[in-house]
Amino acid sequence: MSSKSGPPGDIECGTVRSINTVMGDFLANAEARLAARLERVSLDDIARQAQPNPLQPQHGAHHHG
């Protein structure tokens, strides 16, 4: 019995290759979207949206316990 995708028991069967292709395309698309988003957002935009965490001491504050 022969297999067109490789020797019997080959892990790189057609299904695995198809999944790898789909996941590769997904990751490439996600990276492209992230890069485009980062081009539109500045550090000033991020700083304006940042909210202090009430559970963490503010910069310069000292915790005594």
Side-chain angles (χ1 to χ4, degrees):
M1 180 187 272
S2 67
S3 172
K4 293 181 181 185
S5 64
D10 184 11
I11 192 68
E12 278 295 312
C13 67
T15 302
V16 171
R17 279 196 303 274
S18 295
I19 291 169
N20 286 343
T21 298
V22 169
M23 292 305 296
D25 291 347
F26 173 82
L27 290 173
N29 183 276
E31 288 172 357
R33 291 178 56 108
L34 178 60
R37 174 82 171 129
L38 290 174
E39 287 178 3
R40 296 189 310 263
V41 178
S42 70
L43 291 177
D44 287 336
D45 294 333
I46 295 169
R48 278 194 293 275
Q49 293 178 11
Q51 297 294 321
N53 184 342
L55 299 177
Q56 298 292 324
Q58 296 298 311
H59 181 71
H62 297 283
H63 177 67
H64 299 280

